[in-house]
Amino acid sequence: MQWHILFANFVIKYRIILSKMNTTKILSRIFTARQKEIALYSQYGQEFQTRQLDNLLKKARNTELGQQFRFADISNYTQFSEQVPLITYEELKPYVERLQKGETNLTWPSKIRWFAKSSGTTNDKSKFIPVSTEAMHECHYRGGKDCIALYLQMNPESRFFSGKGLILGGSHDISNLSARCRCGDLSAVLIQNINPLADLIRIPDKKIALMPEWEAKLDAICEKTLHSHVTSLSGVPSWFLVLIKQLLHKSGKKYLTEIWPDLEVFFHGGISFEPYRTQYQELIPSSRMHYVETYNASEGFFAIQNDSSPGMLLMLDLGIFFEFIPIEEINKEYPRTLPIWEIETGKNYALVITTNSGLWRYQTGDTVKIVSTHPVKVIVSGRTKHFINAFGEELMVDNAEKGLARTCAETGAEISNYTAAPVYMSGKGKGRHQWLIEFEKMPCSLEQFAQILDATLQSLNSDYEAKRYKGIALDRLEIIVARKNLFHDWLKEKGKLGGQHKIPRLSNQREMIEEMLAMNR
């Protein structure tokens, strides 16, 4: 009996000691070797990327595509760029359809059963991006671990592993194209296939995380996490904001830190964080809170914010070879492409990738701005189809996000969602940009908001400034206030609530904004 009492006392004391220890500091040693490896990107970037290309070509040389373009004969980048053509999803689609029917060894040697349903566009036409086993483990999951490695390197006093990480993702279903494959949002594909050990530090469980109905999922997540110990968040800023507000409403609390006092980091991506930063800072008023941007697309894990300076570090050894098309050559039949060792700081490029899922010289549709070349750091500046260039102004999403962030800072306004499109010249009238904005907090003066936004865009974009000069080519932008939940209702009508679905920010055409204006009553 005496022995059992002594043992019970020992266990109690051991638990008390563990509770006082910073277990994260102990576990962070696991990431030391990887942190050192990533540090070599700056000095040996070309070597890292050359090795990736060589490995990809070697693995896929006996595939149908590999034989067609003689991968076995390619020994350097110049040969690769000359022998293998650039492709878009339209050229990839026939291979995807064959893969979904069960064919193998077409663009990649291993069997592909999973497809990420891309929501890069909001029209009715979906893209199904192949996700190989190699891509899951050597790219996406490894990229997730690298996020933690770089975060812990930036924050050595972190207690990241003292609680759980709340991941807000999408859902997946059996593909209606074939019983042999499954498809869904990338986040759902990854949650479905994740190592069960990850559930020890992740919340909610798979059953809730993969619920297909968005609003029911939000309710279930709130119930499951309201009394949990959450230290990190991962997801798209706009959708996470909806969840946070629902949590606060259910709990009766004013701040998220009242629910999760040890919350310390939000890994965000998919859309720019800038229009939402102020709202997050108001709802999470903690000096210990950090925000880490990630660039994790359906096609691969591309980049991670690794310090407080602008831009995200391009991940050079996750099974992806990167190329860049100068922005001025996007619409050419045979545009120039550049590897990382030929790109220039300060310039915008369309992103091209070759991956361990069998995407070869695939044009992602994203544009990035290079902010550093040693190591390579990028900012997502927009989409090759999501910009306004109706009058030669070349307004990119990056301009729009920065312009709105500065305007909100000056006026005290807060934005929930927005989109913009041109109003073309008619008769004697000049053209202008029309912005449809749903405000979380209205500015005192809409007129002042419009003036400041217009002036800010001119300071950010010399082409826009030139077209606005004395109103010769462009009138000042117009702002229309969107009713509450307009963008939510538009996405719901399209069947695209939650997950990785995004509002198209800028468009050269008026179809989408006209649909929203018709609902704005």
Side-chain angles (χ1 to χ4, degrees), residues 434-445:
Q434 189 176 64
W435 292 66
L436 181 61
I437 302 177
E438 182 180 341
F439 288 96
E440 181 70 21
K441 180 180 177 183
M442 284 288 294
C444 294
S445 167

Side-chain angles (χ1 to χ4, degrees), residues 358-462:
L359 303 181
W360 294 92
R361 306 200 77 206
Y362 179 83
Q363 299 178 70
T364 64
D366 287 343
T367 60
V368 296
K369 183 178 181 179
I370 308 300
V371 296
S372 167
T373 55
H374 293 85
V376 180
K377 295 185 70 174
V378 301
I379 291 172
V380 180
S381 54
R383 299 278 296 171
T384 54
K385 293 182 180 179
H386 290 181
F387 58 87
I388 301 179
N389 193 29
F391 312 98
E393 65 275 46
E394 295 188 3
L395 189 73
M396 307 292 288
V397 173
D398 184 50
N399 302 146
E401 303 284 7
K402 287 179 179 175
L404 285 170
R406 291 186 194 177
T407 305
C408 286
E410 285 192 43
T411 62
E414 293 178 3
I415 289 175
S416 297
N417 248 315
Y418 78 93
T419 193
V423 176
Y424 290 94
M425 299 176 186
S426 59
K428 294 183 180 179
K430 297 169 189 171
R432 65 186 184 280
H433 290 182
Q434 189 176 64
W435 292 66
L436 181 61
I437 302 177
E438 182 180 341
F439 288 96
E440 181 70 21
K441 180 180 177 183
M442 284 288 294
C444 294
S445 167
L446 202 62
E447 174 72 14
Q448 182 194 34
F449 187 94
Q451 287 178 352
I452 294 173
L453 177 58
D454 190 73
T456 305
L457 291 175
Q458 291 183 57
S459 71
L460 292 168
N461 185 315
S462 58

Side-chain angles (χ1 to χ4, degrees), residues 108-126:
W108 190 249
S110 61
K111 188 177 178 70
I112 294 174
R113 293 185 60 250
W114 286 91
F115 296 82
K117 190 174 181 180
S118 173
S119 54
T121 59
T122 52
N123 58 26
D124 295 330
K125 194 175 188 179
S126 296

Side-chain angles (χ1 to χ4, degrees), residues 242-456:
V242 175
L243 174 61
I244 289 171
K245 289 177 180 178
Q246 191 159 326
L247 279 163
L248 293 174
H249 176 73
K250 280 185 176 290
S251 66
K253 305 294 185 183
K254 185 177 181 181
Y255 304 115
L256 196 59
T257 43
E258 295 178 84
I259 300 173
W260 301 321
D262 295 324
L263 182 65
E264 62 173 81
V265 61
F266 179 25
F267 297 103
H268 59 85
I271 61 174
S272 171
F273 187 60
E274 289 312 309
Y276 304 95
R277 188 178 295 276
T278 300
Q279 292 182 66
Y280 273 88
Q281 290 172 340
E282 289 176 352
L283 296 174
I284 311 173
S286 169
S287 59
R288 295 186 291 109
M289 187 65 186
H290 301 91
Y291 299 93
V292 177
E293 187 174 8
T294 64
Y295 187 6
N296 188 16
S298 299
E299 298 87 352
F301 205 119
F302 301 152
I304 306 167
Q305 184 179 351
N306 69 321
D307 56 34
S308 58
S309 64
M312 292 174 282
L313 181 70
L314 202 67
M315 305 306 290
L316 303 181
D317 58 351
L318 299 185
I320 300 174
F321 180 76
F322 297 98
E323 295 176 82
F324 304 84
I325 300 174
I327 204 79
E328 64 273 13
E329 302 215 5
I330 285 177
N331 295 318
K332 291 185 178 180
E333 186 176 1
Y334 300 106
R336 284 186 304 129
T337 57
L338 307 172
I340 65 161
W341 53 91
E342 293 181 14
I343 55 178
E344 297 179 48
T345 301
K347 291 196 173 183
N348 277 287
Y349 299 90
L351 185 63
V352 177
I353 56 170
T354 293
T355 78
N356 53 6
S357 270
L359 303 181
W360 294 92
R361 306 200 77 206
Y362 179 83
Q363 299 178 70
T364 64
D366 287 343
T367 60
V368 296
K369 183 178 181 179
I370 308 300
V371 296
S372 167
T373 55
H374 293 85
V376 180
K377 295 185 70 174
V378 301
I379 291 172
V380 180
S381 54
R383 299 278 296 171
T384 54
K385 293 182 180 179
H386 290 181
F387 58 87
I388 301 179
N389 193 29
F391 312 98
E393 65 275 46
E394 295 188 3
L395 189 73
M396 307 292 288
V397 173
D398 184 50
N399 302 146
E401 303 284 7
K402 287 179 179 175
L404 285 170
R406 291 186 194 177
T407 305
C408 286
E410 285 192 43
T411 62
E414 293 178 3
I415 289 175
S416 297
N417 248 315
Y418 78 93
T419 193
V423 176
Y424 290 94
M425 299 176 186
S426 59
K428 294 183 180 179
K430 297 169 189 171
R432 65 186 184 280
H433 290 182
Q434 189 176 64
W435 292 66
L436 181 61
I437 302 177
E438 182 180 341
F439 288 96
E440 181 70 21
K441 180 180 177 183
M442 284 288 294
C444 294
S445 167
L446 202 62
E447 174 72 14
Q448 182 194 34
F449 187 94
Q451 287 178 352
I452 294 173
L453 177 58
D454 190 73
T456 305

